[in-house]
Amino acid sequence: MLAMTEPKNDFPLIRKDILVRKVKIYGKVETLSPLKVGKGGGETNPLSPATMQIIRTYGGKPLIPGSSWKGVFRSTGEKIAKVKGVYTCTGLSKQTCMDRTLKNYKNRKVLEIFQDYLASNNISEAIKLVWDYTCINCKIFGGPSIYSAVTILDSIAEKFKIGYRAMIAVNRKTGATSALAKVEYVEPGSIFPFTLIGNNLPNYALGYIIKIMRYINEGMIQVGGNKSRGFGFVKFNNLTLEVSDYSGGKLKALDEIDKEVKIELPKNEKAEDFFDKTKELEGCFDEVKIPFPKNTVHS
Ligand SMILES: [Zn+2]
């Protein structure tokens, strides 16, 4: 008979087999400066007057893909974690925490050890391994071989104007300046919806996500391209936080490092009020001792 270990409800943040909490943060994003969320090369529409185009829906509306949001959240989180002295990986393919080799496991990759545990039905060990050896960004935002705890939906503009700006195009390969490029962007004052959905997010993880949103809102982080030219400043509005297990004015601690938080959940609030009402969650992240990933030193 197989020696099976019974997983308990431990480490919900990295579990997909249990659902102890559903979270939804939603509202609006307004552009305060030009915003250019562009396409990669070679995908341009020949009918457009711009040589550098923004991403649009089939119907022509500007779009901020959920994957772009996630990239912004992940890189902002990296900066926040670094200040706290917490290691995060780059999240790039073959460089994630699942790709690390562990000395204490005969220099094998986390992913290989994980798969062996699963193959031999050692579910608890598999969960503990992922808990111990992945960073907070892998746990929350996922990676090539680890499911994400959050989904950010595509933001399709609800109100927008398109602008064009002539810029000197620099050839990245030769460094030479060549012809004028006509850059397309979304004008300030355009409005996009924003929706983030999360499963099993402990209070400190919620605080981490909200801190990232506050950094974006306060202009410490820009979204999209042409940042050096002052593009990409946005602010949030009409923000709501919903948490499925909220009860008695409290959010309970979800795991061994989490803390209970007393809070009045913000509903349709201005950004400033939303961040004010959720500052206990940010505080929970500020105070939490992150014990993972093991055996890493911050470079
Ligand atoms: Zn990682």
Side-chain angles (χ1 to χ4, degrees), residues 74 87-89 91 96-97 134-138:
R74 192 169 186 129
Y87 171 89
T88 54
C89 71
T96 73
C97 295
T134 58
C135 71
I136 189 162
N137 279 351
C138 281

